[in-house]
Amino acid sequence: MKLRVCFLLVCATVYAGATNDSSNTTDGAFEPISATDFIGLGVEILTKLEQLDSKLMKLQSQMERLENNQISYESLLKNIARRKTTTKKPRPSIYASCKDAPETASGVYSIRIDSDSAPFQVYCEQEKFDGGWIVVQHRFDGSVDFYQNWTEYRDGFGELDSEFWLGLEHLHQLTTARKYELLVEVKDFTGIYGYARYSAFQVGSECEQYNLKTLGSYTGTGRDSLEASKGYKFSTKDRDDPSSGTQYAISYKGGWWHNGGIANLNGPYKDNAEGSWWFTLRNDFRGLSFTRMMIRETGR
């Protein structure tokens, strides 16, 4: 608009001057431009000026956007740099033991027995009994069938955040590489709870049929139902311990260090004598609603 007004004023002045000059010319050498032509020329020039003004405005707008983008980019870089300086370094993803895992967070972690072995996942109990425990057996709702064969008990089955058996081979590797203690928790369907803690625990190799090689002294509230299994080989429905004289894994429908004894934590999930049991909890064979076996390193 300013350009239009200024240009019209200039045109009017120039035209007025040209008219006066033409009126003073006497020899007819100069022929004045008509008002129509002069205005047409002015409009053409004005249009071009307006187009130029529009382009300048667009260019100015683009420059402002670029400037804003530059500010946003610089802010982003500052935020990234700030996060890098304030974010804590992540904990290592593989631990030597549950004793090295975060002390207050129970859950699934990867551990490695030694530098030559492959890592594997375990569930670490970090809140009960001062933490640092590797859970090797857990039952609480009957969602997993524990009447499994030798291969399943050797390699493990179930899910670590649900019901599961960690695996005899892992138990052998862990308890052979370092010293471990054992904790057994049991609870019946009426809510009676007890635990048995053993100062030492070691499982033999597969060649030894994963026998219960070492079992330390007992302390706890559930009394001792495992001592009778000490020295016995692990039995499953397809591989029995010949020294026991009976196929207890089939009779009791679960793998265990069977000898006709008073513990059968991997039996059916039932509220009766056909289920799993820990005899010394109530001095009977009533079924259990909850069982958990955990081991914790005692030395390196």
Side-chain angles (χ1 to χ4, degrees), residues 3-185:
L3 285 172
R4 184 188 294 272
V5 173
C6 292
F7 184 76
L8 291 175
L9 290 173
V10 171
C11 288
T13 303
V14 172
Y15 184 77
T19 304
N20 291 334
D21 290 343
S22 64
S23 63
N24 294 330
T25 303
T26 56
D27 56 2
F30 177 79
E31 185 177 351
I33 301 174
S34 67
T36 301
D37 293 340
F38 188 86
I39 293 173
L41 178 61
V43 170
E44 182 180 353
I45 295 173
L46 182 60
T47 300
K48 290 182 178 180
L49 287 173
E50 287 180 336
Q51 291 174 350
L52 179 60
D53 184 59
S54 177
K55 290 180 179 179
L56 287 172
M57 292 180 66
K58 288 181 180 179
L59 181 60
Q60 182 179 4
S61 177
Q62 291 175 353
M63 291 180 67
E64 289 176 352
R65 284 199 298 270
L66 287 173
E67 189 175 43
N68 290 335
N69 288 340
Q70 178 68 20
I71 294 173
S72 299
Y73 180 70
E74 290 176 353
S75 298
L76 178 62
L77 290 178
K78 289 180 181 178
N79 287 335
I80 292 174
R82 189 180 301 113
R83 289 173 186 172
K84 286 183 178 180
T85 56
T86 57
T87 302
K88 295 181 179 179
K89 292 183 178 180
R91 293 178 178 269
S93 57
I94 299 177
Y95 303 91
S97 143
C98 283
K99 292 183 73 173
D100 299 323
E103 296 179 356
T104 58
S106 297
V108 178
Y109 295 93
S110 292
I111 65 172
R112 189 199 306 272
I113 297 173
D114 55 48
S115 59
D116 296 327
S117 63
F120 59 94
Q121 289 190 319
V122 299
Y123 190 95
C124 295
E125 171 55 62
Q126 304 293 68
E127 300 165 43
K128 303 291 182 63
F129 296 95
D130 299 321
W133 297 92
I134 298 174
V135 181
V136 299
Q137 188 256 32
H138 195 192
R139 304 185 73 185
F140 54 88
D141 63 6
S143 59
V144 174
D145 183 8
F146 274 66
Y147 192 35
Q148 300 289 341
N149 61 28
W150 179 262
T151 301
E152 294 293 330
Y153 269 101
R154 179 191 65 196
D155 300 339
F157 55 87
E159 301 295 334
L160 292 176
D161 57 355
S162 182
E163 292 194 335
F164 71 93
W165 172 263
L166 182 62
L168 290 164
E169 184 59 29
H170 286 322
L171 275 175
H172 165 65
Q173 292 177 5
L174 287 164
T175 58
T176 301
R178 304 186 191 111
K179 294 180 179 180
Y180 278 85
E181 61 177 316
L182 170 69
L183 179 70
V184 179
E185 293 181 282

